Amino acid sequence: SMSVSADALEALIFEVIEEERDPELTAKDIRHIAEQKLGFPRDALFPRNQEICRVVMKAESPVERLSPGETAAGRLALAIVAAALIAFSGLPTSLWSWAGLALQTYLGSYVAQAAFGLGYRWFVVNIRHLPLTPGDAGHDECNALLFPLSTEGRRVARRRCCGVDHLVYTCADLSDGADAIERLTGVRPAAGGSHPGVGTHNALLSLGDSAYLEVIAADPAQPTPAAPRPFSLDDERTHGRIIAFAVHPEAARGASIELLAATMQEEGRHPGRIGTMRRRTPSGELLRWRMTALSRAEGPRPWLIDWGGSAHPATTSPAGCSLVGLTCHGARASEMGALLRGRLGLLPLGASGGAVDFVDGGDEAGGYLVA
Protein backbone atom coordinates (compact mmCIF):
# COMPACT_ATOMS: atom_id res chain seq x y z
CA SER A 1 0.00 0.00 0.00
CA MET A 2 2.94 2.35 0.55
CA SER A 3 3.82 2.18 -3.15
CA VAL A 4 0.49 3.36 -4.57
CA SER A 5 1.32 5.58 -7.51
CA ALA A 6 0.08 9.14 -7.93
CA ASP A 7 -1.80 8.13 -11.09
CA ALA A 8 -3.54 5.26 -9.27
CA LEU A 9 -4.58 7.53 -6.43
CA GLU A 10 -5.76 10.20 -8.87
CA ALA A 11 -7.86 7.59 -10.68
CA LEU A 12 -9.37 6.55 -7.35
CA ILE A 13 -10.25 10.15 -6.53
CA PHE A 14 -12.01 10.56 -9.90
CA GLU A 15 -13.85 7.30 -9.23
CA VAL A 16 -15.07 8.58 -5.84
CA ILE A 17 -16.26 11.85 -7.40
CA GLU A 18 -18.08 10.02 -10.23
CA GLU A 19 -19.71 7.53 -7.85
CA GLU A 20 -20.93 10.03 -5.30
CA ARG A 21 -22.11 12.80 -7.65
CA ASP A 22 -22.92 14.86 -4.57
CA PRO A 23 -22.59 18.69 -4.97
CA GLU A 24 -22.10 18.99 -1.21
CA LEU A 25 -19.15 16.57 -1.22
CA THR A 26 -16.06 18.18 0.31
CA ALA A 27 -12.37 17.46 0.07
CA LYS A 28 -12.47 15.92 3.54
CA ASP A 29 -15.27 13.57 2.41
CA ILE A 30 -13.26 12.45 -0.63
CA ARG A 31 -10.16 11.90 1.50
CA HIS A 32 -12.13 9.80 3.99
CA ILE A 33 -13.67 7.60 1.24
CA ALA A 34 -10.28 7.14 -0.47
CA GLU A 35 -8.73 6.02 2.84
CA GLN A 36 -11.51 3.47 3.33
CA LYS A 37 -11.22 2.08 -0.20
CA LEU A 38 -7.44 1.68 0.02
CA GLY A 39 -7.63 0.28 3.53
CA PHE A 40 -4.79 2.14 5.19
CA PRO A 41 -4.49 5.23 7.40
CA ARG A 42 -3.93 8.79 6.22
CA ASP A 43 -0.31 8.84 7.41
CA ALA A 44 0.50 6.16 4.83
CA LEU A 45 -1.65 7.68 2.09
CA PHE A 46 -0.40 11.22 1.82
CA PRO A 47 3.34 11.46 2.49
CA ARG A 48 3.91 9.29 -0.64
CA ASN A 49 1.60 11.33 -2.83
CA GLN A 50 2.22 15.00 -2.07
CA GLU A 51 0.93 16.31 -5.39
CA ILE A 52 -2.41 14.54 -5.07
CA CYS A 53 -2.51 15.54 -1.41
CA ARG A 54 -2.37 19.20 -2.47
CA VAL A 55 -5.41 18.69 -4.69
CA VAL A 56 -7.68 16.92 -2.23
CA MET A 57 -6.64 18.94 0.81
CA LYS A 58 -8.47 22.05 -0.42
CA ALA A 59 -10.57 24.31 1.77
CA GLU A 60 -13.98 23.01 2.78
CA SER A 61 -15.87 24.25 -0.24
CA PRO A 62 -17.74 21.99 -2.72
CA VAL A 63 -15.16 20.06 -4.78
CA GLU A 64 -14.93 20.76 -8.50
CA ARG A 65 -13.57 18.28 -11.05
CA LEU A 66 -9.78 18.40 -11.34
CA SER A 67 -8.63 20.59 -14.22
CA PRO A 68 -5.72 19.48 -16.48
CA GLY A 69 -3.51 22.07 -14.81
CA GLU A 70 -3.93 20.28 -11.46
CA THR A 71 -2.50 16.96 -12.67
CA ALA A 72 1.18 16.19 -13.00
CA ALA A 73 0.94 15.64 -16.77
CA GLY A 74 -1.18 18.75 -17.22
CA ARG A 75 1.27 20.93 -15.31
CA LEU A 76 4.15 19.59 -17.40
CA ALA A 77 2.27 20.30 -20.64
CA LEU A 78 1.46 23.85 -19.54
CA ALA A 79 5.10 24.46 -18.57
CA ILE A 80 6.27 23.26 -22.02
CA VAL A 81 3.76 25.52 -23.78
CA ALA A 82 4.82 28.53 -21.66
CA ALA A 83 8.51 27.85 -22.34
CA ALA A 84 7.84 27.57 -26.08
CA LEU A 85 5.95 30.86 -26.12
CA ILE A 86 8.82 32.63 -24.34
CA ALA A 87 11.46 31.06 -26.60
CA PHE A 88 9.73 32.06 -29.87
CA SER A 89 8.51 35.50 -28.76
CA GLY A 90 11.92 37.11 -28.40
CA LEU A 91 11.57 37.51 -24.62
CA PRO A 92 14.64 36.79 -22.47
CA THR A 93 15.05 33.15 -21.52
CA SER A 94 17.75 33.63 -18.89
CA LEU A 95 16.70 33.51 -15.25
CA TRP A 96 19.07 36.40 -14.52
CA SER A 97 17.41 38.46 -17.26
CA TRP A 98 13.99 37.97 -15.69
CA ALA A 99 15.38 38.76 -12.25
CA GLY A 100 16.94 41.95 -13.61
CA LEU A 101 13.69 43.02 -15.27
CA ALA A 102 11.76 42.39 -12.04
CA LEU A 103 14.27 44.40 -10.02
CA GLN A 104 14.21 47.30 -12.48
CA THR A 105 10.42 47.32 -12.47
CA TYR A 106 10.27 47.30 -8.67
CA LEU A 107 12.91 50.00 -8.19
CA GLY A 108 11.52 52.11 -10.99
CA SER A 109 7.99 52.04 -9.62
CA TYR A 110 9.28 52.72 -6.10
CA VAL A 111 11.31 55.75 -7.22
CA ALA A 112 8.41 57.06 -9.31
CA GLN A 113 5.98 56.64 -6.41
CA ALA A 114 8.34 58.31 -3.95
CA ALA A 115 8.98 61.23 -6.33
CA PHE A 116 5.28 61.70 -6.94
CA GLY A 117 4.54 61.55 -3.20
CA LEU A 118 7.15 64.19 -2.37
CA GLY A 119 5.98 66.40 -5.25
CA TYR A 120 2.33 66.18 -4.26
CA ARG A 121 3.14 66.87 -0.61
CA TRP A 122 5.02 70.02 -1.69
CA PHE A 123 1.98 71.03 -3.76
CA VAL A 124 -0.42 70.49 -0.85
CA VAL A 125 1.68 72.49 1.61
CA ASN A 126 2.95 75.32 -0.62
CA ILE A 127 0.22 75.76 -3.25
CA ARG A 128 -2.98 74.65 -1.52
CA HIS A 129 -1.63 75.78 1.88
CA LEU A 130 -3.18 72.84 3.72
CA PRO A 131 -1.50 71.98 7.04
CA LEU A 132 -0.36 68.36 7.41
CA THR A 133 0.28 66.38 10.57
CA PRO A 134 4.04 65.76 11.00
CA GLY A 135 5.38 62.27 10.30
CA ASP A 136 3.70 59.29 8.67
CA ALA A 137 0.24 60.63 9.48
CA GLY A 138 0.90 63.49 7.05
CA HIS A 139 1.66 60.99 4.27
CA ASP A 140 -1.69 59.33 4.95
CA GLU A 141 -3.43 62.70 4.74
CA CYS A 142 -1.77 63.43 1.37
CA ASN A 143 -2.91 60.10 -0.04
CA ALA A 144 -6.39 60.61 1.41
CA LEU A 145 -6.71 63.88 -0.53
CA LEU A 146 -6.05 61.99 -3.78
CA PHE A 147 -7.90 58.77 -2.95
CA PRO A 148 -10.61 59.33 -0.29
CA LEU A 149 -11.84 55.73 -0.54
CA SER A 150 -8.38 54.17 -0.18
CA THR A 151 -7.05 52.48 2.94
CA GLU A 152 -5.30 55.73 3.87
CA GLY A 153 -8.50 57.68 3.24
CA ARG A 154 -10.50 55.46 5.58
CA ARG A 155 -7.73 55.64 8.17
CA VAL A 156 -7.70 59.45 8.06
CA ALA A 157 -11.50 59.57 8.28
CA ARG A 158 -11.37 57.53 11.50
CA ARG A 159 -8.83 59.97 12.96
CA ARG A 160 -11.09 63.01 12.49
CA CYS A 161 -12.47 63.56 15.97
CA CYS A 162 -12.82 66.58 18.26
CA GLY A 163 -14.46 67.68 21.50
CA VAL A 164 -15.59 70.95 23.04
CA ASP A 165 -12.58 72.48 24.79
CA HIS A 166 -13.88 75.66 26.40
CA LEU A 167 -16.47 78.42 26.25
CA VAL A 168 -15.72 82.15 26.32
CA TYR A 169 -17.71 84.61 28.47
CA THR A 170 -16.84 88.25 27.74
CA CYS A 171 -17.07 91.19 30.15
CA ALA A 172 -15.78 94.72 30.60
CA ASP A 173 -14.09 94.04 33.95
CA LEU A 174 -12.69 90.63 34.93
CA SER A 175 -13.68 90.89 38.59
CA ASP A 176 -17.24 91.85 37.67
CA GLY A 177 -17.41 88.95 35.23
CA ALA A 178 -16.20 86.50 37.87
CA ASP A 179 -18.88 87.85 40.26
CA ALA A 180 -21.59 87.27 37.64
CA ILE A 181 -20.50 83.67 37.02
CA GLU A 182 -20.33 82.98 40.76
CA ARG A 183 -23.89 84.21 41.17
CA LEU A 184 -25.06 81.91 38.37
CA THR A 185 -23.13 78.75 39.33
CA GLY A 186 -22.15 79.10 42.98
CA VAL A 187 -18.48 78.60 42.03
CA ARG A 188 -16.08 81.50 41.55
CA PRO A 189 -13.64 81.32 38.60
CA ALA A 190 -9.97 81.53 39.57
CA ALA A 191 -7.53 83.99 38.02
CA GLY A 192 -5.86 82.44 34.98
CA GLY A 193 -3.31 84.93 33.65
CA SER A 194 -2.71 87.51 30.96
CA HIS A 195 -2.17 87.12 27.21
CA PRO A 196 0.88 89.23 26.29
CA GLY A 197 0.42 91.22 23.11
CA VAL A 198 -3.30 90.42 22.87
CA GLY A 199 -4.35 92.87 25.59
CA THR A 200 -6.53 90.48 27.60
CA HIS A 201 -6.54 88.50 30.83
CA ASN A 202 -8.84 85.76 32.10
CA ALA A 203 -10.33 83.71 34.91
CA LEU A 204 -11.20 80.03 34.59
CA LEU A 205 -13.84 77.60 35.87
CA SER A 206 -13.76 73.84 35.23
CA LEU A 207 -16.78 72.27 33.49
CA GLY A 208 -15.56 68.67 33.72
CA ASP A 209 -12.48 66.67 32.86
CA SER A 210 -11.87 68.19 29.43
CA ALA A 211 -13.87 71.44 29.22
CA TYR A 212 -13.86 74.76 31.07
CA LEU A 213 -15.31 78.27 31.04
CA GLU A 214 -13.03 81.20 30.28
CA VAL A 215 -14.08 84.61 31.59
CA ILE A 216 -12.15 87.17 29.55
CA ALA A 217 -11.78 90.94 29.65
CA ALA A 218 -9.43 93.69 28.51
CA ASP A 219 -6.27 93.78 30.62
CA PRO A 220 -5.69 97.31 31.98
CA ALA A 221 -2.07 96.41 32.79
CA GLN A 222 -1.25 96.01 29.08
CA PRO A 223 -1.04 98.74 26.45
CA THR A 224 -3.79 98.89 23.87
CA PRO A 225 -2.88 96.31 21.21
CA ALA A 226 -2.41 97.28 17.57
CA ALA A 227 -5.08 94.82 16.43
CA PRO A 228 -8.62 94.69 17.85
CA ARG A 229 -9.02 92.45 20.88
CA PRO A 230 -10.61 89.07 20.15
CA PHE A 231 -14.26 88.13 20.74
CA SER A 232 -15.46 91.71 20.06
CA LEU A 233 -14.21 92.74 23.52
CA ASP A 234 -13.90 96.33 22.35
CA ASP A 235 -17.66 96.40 21.68
CA GLU A 236 -19.54 96.73 25.00
CA ARG A 237 -22.75 95.46 23.40
CA THR A 238 -21.31 91.93 23.32
CA HIS A 239 -20.37 91.78 27.03
CA GLY A 240 -22.11 89.57 29.56
CA ARG A 241 -22.67 86.54 27.34
CA ILE A 242 -20.99 83.38 26.08
CA ILE A 243 -19.84 84.47 22.67
CA ALA A 244 -17.55 81.74 21.34
CA PHE A 245 -16.16 78.27 21.91
CA ALA A 246 -13.12 76.19 20.99
CA VAL A 247 -12.71 72.54 20.08
CA HIS A 248 -9.63 70.38 20.56
CA PRO A 249 -8.46 67.34 18.57
CA GLU A 250 -8.94 64.02 20.34
CA ALA A 251 -5.29 62.92 20.39
CA ALA A 252 -6.20 59.50 21.81
CA ARG A 253 -7.99 58.77 18.53
CA GLY A 254 -5.16 60.03 16.36
CA ALA A 255 -6.61 63.47 15.59
CA SER A 256 -4.39 66.52 15.20
CA ILE A 257 -4.99 70.25 14.92
CA GLU A 258 -3.51 70.13 11.40
CA LEU A 259 -5.99 67.50 10.27
CA LEU A 260 -8.98 69.40 11.66
CA ALA A 261 -7.77 72.71 10.18
CA ALA A 262 -7.20 71.15 6.75
CA THR A 263 -10.68 69.57 6.83
CA MET A 264 -12.31 72.91 7.65
CA GLN A 265 -10.35 74.59 4.87
CA GLU A 266 -11.42 71.92 2.36
CA GLU A 267 -15.04 72.64 3.32
CA GLY A 268 -14.65 76.38 2.69
CA ARG A 269 -14.41 77.36 6.39
CA HIS A 270 -10.75 78.37 6.58
CA PRO A 271 -9.85 78.58 10.30
CA GLY A 272 -6.72 80.63 9.71
CA ARG A 273 -3.07 79.91 10.34
CA ILE A 274 -2.03 77.71 13.25
CA GLY A 275 0.01 79.78 15.71
CA THR A 276 1.61 79.29 19.12
CA MET A 277 0.46 81.09 22.27
CA ARG A 278 1.69 81.16 25.86
CA ARG A 279 0.89 82.64 29.26
CA ARG A 280 2.03 82.23 32.85
CA THR A 281 -0.32 81.03 35.54
CA PRO A 282 -0.45 82.81 38.92
CA SER A 283 1.80 80.02 40.25
CA GLY A 284 4.43 80.86 37.63
CA GLU A 285 3.88 77.83 35.39
CA LEU A 286 4.31 78.59 31.70
CA LEU A 287 1.53 77.20 29.51
CA ARG A 288 2.02 76.75 25.77
CA TRP A 289 -0.62 75.84 23.24
CA ARG A 290 -1.32 76.02 19.53
CA MET A 291 -4.48 77.39 18.01
CA THR A 292 -6.06 78.87 14.90
CA ALA A 293 -7.03 82.51 14.43
CA LEU A 294 -9.44 83.91 17.05
CA SER A 295 -10.67 86.55 14.62
CA ARG A 296 -12.55 83.87 12.66
CA ALA A 297 -14.30 82.37 15.69
CA GLU A 298 -17.62 83.62 16.97
CA GLY A 299 -20.98 82.11 17.78
CA PRO A 300 -21.43 78.70 16.15
CA ARG A 301 -18.05 78.82 14.42
CA PRO A 302 -15.31 77.55 16.76
CA TRP A 303 -11.59 77.93 16.64
CA LEU A 304 -9.18 75.00 17.08
CA ILE A 305 -6.85 74.59 20.03
CA ASP A 306 -4.26 71.97 21.01
CA TRP A 307 -2.69 72.01 24.47
CA GLY A 308 0.07 69.58 23.55
CA GLY A 309 2.06 68.69 26.65
CA SER A 310 0.65 71.46 28.87
CA ALA A 311 -1.83 70.63 31.60
CA HIS A 312 -5.38 71.19 30.42
CA PRO A 313 -6.97 74.11 32.34
CA ALA A 314 -10.05 71.98 33.08
CA THR A 315 -7.91 69.88 35.42
CA THR A 316 -6.44 72.84 37.33
CA SER A 317 -9.43 75.23 37.58
CA PRO A 318 -12.06 75.35 40.37
CA ALA A 319 -14.45 72.40 40.07
CA GLY A 320 -18.12 72.04 40.90
CA CYS A 321 -19.82 72.54 37.52
CA SER A 322 -20.49 70.28 34.54
CA LEU A 323 -21.32 71.09 30.96
CA VAL A 324 -24.49 69.12 30.16
CA GLY A 325 -25.80 71.01 27.14
CA LEU A 326 -24.73 73.63 24.60
CA THR A 327 -26.76 75.48 21.97
CA CYS A 328 -25.02 77.64 19.37
CA HIS A 329 -27.07 80.44 17.76
CA GLY A 330 -26.02 82.33 14.66
CA ALA A 331 -26.32 82.78 10.92
CA ARG A 332 -25.96 79.43 9.07
CA ALA A 333 -25.38 77.68 12.39
CA SER A 334 -26.93 74.45 11.10
CA GLU A 335 -24.32 74.28 8.31
CA MET A 336 -21.52 74.60 10.83
CA GLY A 337 -23.14 71.95 12.99
CA ALA A 338 -23.31 69.55 10.05
CA LEU A 339 -19.61 70.16 9.32
CA LEU A 340 -18.56 69.66 12.94
CA ARG A 341 -20.61 66.53 13.53
CA GLY A 342 -20.11 65.03 10.08
CA ARG A 343 -16.57 65.78 8.90
CA LEU A 344 -14.82 66.73 12.16
CA GLY A 345 -16.43 64.07 14.35
CA LEU A 346 -17.64 66.36 17.17
CA LEU A 347 -18.21 64.22 20.28
CA PRO A 348 -20.97 64.60 22.90
CA LEU A 349 -20.20 66.68 25.98
CA GLY A 350 -17.86 64.77 28.29
CA ALA A 351 -19.21 62.43 30.93
CA SER A 352 -22.72 63.91 30.70
CA GLY A 353 -23.06 62.88 27.06
CA GLY A 354 -25.04 66.05 26.39
CA ALA A 355 -25.64 67.24 22.85
CA VAL A 356 -24.26 70.28 21.07
CA ASP A 357 -27.12 71.88 19.12
CA PHE A 358 -26.97 74.49 16.36
CA VAL A 359 -29.81 76.94 15.70
CA ASP A 360 -29.95 79.35 12.77
CA GLY A 361 -30.54 83.03 13.55
CA GLY A 362 -29.95 85.10 16.66
CA ASP A 363 -30.04 88.71 17.79
CA GLU A 364 -26.37 89.30 17.00
CA ALA A 365 -24.66 89.02 13.62
CA GLY A 366 -21.81 87.01 15.09
CA GLY A 367 -24.01 84.76 17.21
CA TYR A 368 -23.92 83.59 20.81
CA LEU A 369 -24.11 80.42 22.88
CA VAL A 370 -26.34 79.12 25.65
CA ALA A 371 -24.86 76.55 28.05
Side-chain angles (χ1 to χ4, degrees), residues 318-361:
C321 297
S322 296
L323 183 60
V324 297
L326 181 65
T327 303
C328 306
H329 297 261
R332 303 172 66 182
S334 58
E335 294 181 13
M336 180 55 66
L339 169 61
L340 288 170
R341 286 192 289 257
R343 292 276 282 150
L344 270 68
L346 181 63
L347 297 175
L349 298 170
S352 71
V356 182
D357 298 317
F358 295 83
V359 178
D360 291 330

Side-chain angles (χ1 to χ4, degrees), residues 163-182:
V164 172
D165 188 86
H166 68 277
L167 315 178
V168 176
Y169 178 89
T170 59
C171 53
D173 179 81
L174 189 60
S175 179
D176 292 343
D179 290 342
I181 296 300
E182 185 178 14

Side-chain angles (χ1 to χ4, degrees), residues 7 32 49 61 76 87 98 123 128 178 197 271 275 293 300 312 315 337 360 369:
D7 290 338
H32 180 66
N49 300 279
S61 57
L76 178 60
W98 282 107
F123 170 78
R128 295 190 63 183
H312 196 283
T315 63
D360 291 330
L369 293 84

